[in-house]
Amino acid sequence: MMKNKMMKIKYSFFLLSMVVLLFASCGTQTGNKKAQKKDTSRTIVSGFNADSAYAFTAKQVAFGPRVPGTKAHAQCASWMINKLKQFSDTVYIQKFKARTYDGVTRTGINIIGSVNPDETSRVLLLAHWDSRPFADHDKDPANYHKPIDAANDGASGVAVLLELMRQFKLNNPEKGVDVLLVDLEDWGPPDFESHPYNENNWGLGSQYWAKTPHIPGYQANYGILLDMVGAKNPTFKKEYYSMGFASYVVNEVWRTADELGYGEWFVNAEGGAISDDHIFINKYRNIPTIDIIHLDSHSSNGSFYEYWHTTGDTMDKIDKSTLLMVGKVVGTVVYNN
Ligand SMILES: [Zn+2]
């Protein structure tokens, strides 16, 4: 589907350039304006600022672990709301209650920033912003009950999306873009307790939003979830559910990455099946949504980024060039699709 759409876009550019050529001698404004539009993909590639994305990551981590119910969580929420007010046209704050696996009802906050809110053609970009309250994969069991800094598993995705929004403010993507920062993704049962696996224990914020979107009946053409997109030398593989729900989006993202010279990290191989926020966006809202997630079968946990769900998920593991790569890839996809 994406392929057909791309061909259509290219075909219309061909027609458009003919029109521009025809009108060039008459010096029409319309022709010039439309011709400029084609360059937006190049603009994002040069504009996305790695220092800015890095600073957005560091800022979140500096609040302390953003565990729902804590002061750090509340402070980070107001900071993100202010940033989105700066970079987008409309901001929605969605407070919700959800029950975690332990039967406790907790309050979460989903935050949505929209660019070009009146456009019907929209793209959804999302990341979770909460920090996991347990370091249940730490090497030292004494750390199991400690919350994690979540520099990569949370903050990195949010940071890339905030920087993208800053870019969209500077160079209008000429379509609707919504950044959805979901809460309570990572309060699933810890490994040191034995609970039967249930995917519904994860992604509580995205489940709530998918069933009760900020605008009733909300739809987008496609969605991209970012999760753990800031570590040095990452491996992004084509995640199984993403391929099942939205293979054309996966292929477009990986093709773009390859075109930009990032084929070494956006590996052209199938990855494992990961229960993440994209599942609920696909299941409950029918928006074809993919997950860009750091999958590493050679790590000590056997699946993810080495410091996943450990006290080692800290700022010193964050690499500017990874944030830049993901920002460029996603930005280019958004401007062109
Ligand atoms: Zn996590």
Side-chain angles (χ1 to χ4, degrees), residues 299-317:
S299 77
S300 52
N301 60 58
S303 317
F304 300 111
Y305 157 68
E306 179 65 36
Y307 299 96
W308 171 73
H309 294 182
T310 73
T311 52
D313 184 359
T314 45
M315 202 55 210
D316 55 301
K317 318 298 189 315

Side-chain angles (χ1 to χ4, degrees), residues 14-293:
F14 172 73
L15 284 179
L16 199 63
S17 26
M18 294 296 285
V19 174
V20 171
L21 273 176
L22 281 171
F23 281 83
S25 50
C26 317
T28 57
Q29 283 297 313
T30 341
N32 290 337
K33 218 178 167 185
K34 295 272 181 186
Q36 278 168 9
K37 210 173 147 184
K38 205 182 169 185
D39 284 335
T40 46
S41 62
R42 288 184 187 90
T43 314
I44 184 78
V45 170
S46 53
F48 189 96
N49 189 308
D51 292 329
S52 168
Y54 186 84
F56 290 153
T57 315
K59 181 75 183 177
Q60 294 170 73
V61 174
F63 287 117
R66 284 79 64 215
V67 174
T70 63
K71 196 178 161 194
H73 182 265
Q75 286 174 333
C76 187
S78 359
W79 175 77
M80 293 188 302
I81 290 164
N82 281 331
K83 283 288 144 199
L84 282 177
K85 280 184 178 165
Q86 232 177 299
F87 305 147
S88 51
D89 298 315
T90 317
V91 176
Y92 304 83
I93 300 160
Q94 184 177 61
K95 269 201 176 185
F96 64 95
K97 292 208 182 297
R99 194 181 299 193
T100 43
Y101 75 93
D102 49 3
V104 178
T105 300
R106 303 179 194 275
T107 304
I109 311 169
N110 293 332
I111 303 162
I112 302 103
S114 299
V115 167
N116 299 329
D118 298 329
E119 288 280 347
T120 47
S121 184
R122 310 200 68 78
V123 178
L124 176 71
L125 304 175
L126 68 152
H128 81 87
W129 71 274
D130 59 307
S131 306
R132 181 157 178 75
F134 326 103
D136 54 329
H137 282 264
D138 211 278
K139 283 198 175 76
D140 182 358
N143 289 333
Y144 281 178
H145 290 272
K146 290 182 185 164
I148 66 170
D149 268 8
N152 199 28
D153 190 0
S156 67
V158 172
V160 168
L161 295 186
L162 288 178
E163 175 57 13
L164 278 173
M165 284 303 252
R166 200 175 71 85
Q167 295 302 318
F168 295 146
K169 186 85 182 172
L170 297 169
N171 299 291
N172 198 317
E174 313 281 343
K175 70 191 71 174
V177 180
D178 303 289
V179 156
L180 166 64
L181 306 178
V182 285
D183 202 355
L184 277 168
E185 187 276 335
D186 234 351
W187 206 309
D191 250 31
F192 51 77
E193 293 175 15
S194 47
H195 295 271
Y197 182 74
N198 179 354
E199 72 177 14
N200 292 327
N201 283 330
W202 303 85
L204 303 182
S206 54
Q207 291 188 52
Y208 183 87
W209 179 86
K211 291 174 182 170
T212 325
H214 60 292
I215 292 172
Y218 173 91
Q219 269 303 318
N221 302 347
Y222 63 94
I224 300 176
L225 164 66
L226 303 183
D227 198 354
M228 297 188 265
V229 292
K232 194 177 179 154
N233 201 21
T235 313
F236 302 122
K237 288 183 185 168
K238 298 179 167 180
E239 187 270 332
Y240 177 84
Y241 294 119
S242 306
M243 287 302 280
F245 284 117
S247 60
Y248 67 96
V249 183
V250 174
N251 291 331
E252 178 61 11
V253 169
W254 263 251
R255 190 190 64 75
T256 303
D258 192 49
E259 253 179 36
L260 294 174
Y262 297 132
E264 195 182 329
W265 299 279
F266 280 78
V267 180
N268 189 16
E270 293 232 357
I274 310 300
S275 290
D276 207 343
D277 291 311
H278 66 312
I279 302 271
F280 307 111
I281 312 291
N282 279 293
K283 263 172 60 172
Y284 301 135
R285 193 111 298 270
N286 289 315
I287 298 171
T289 301
I290 68 156
D291 193 4
I292 300 180
I293 182 166

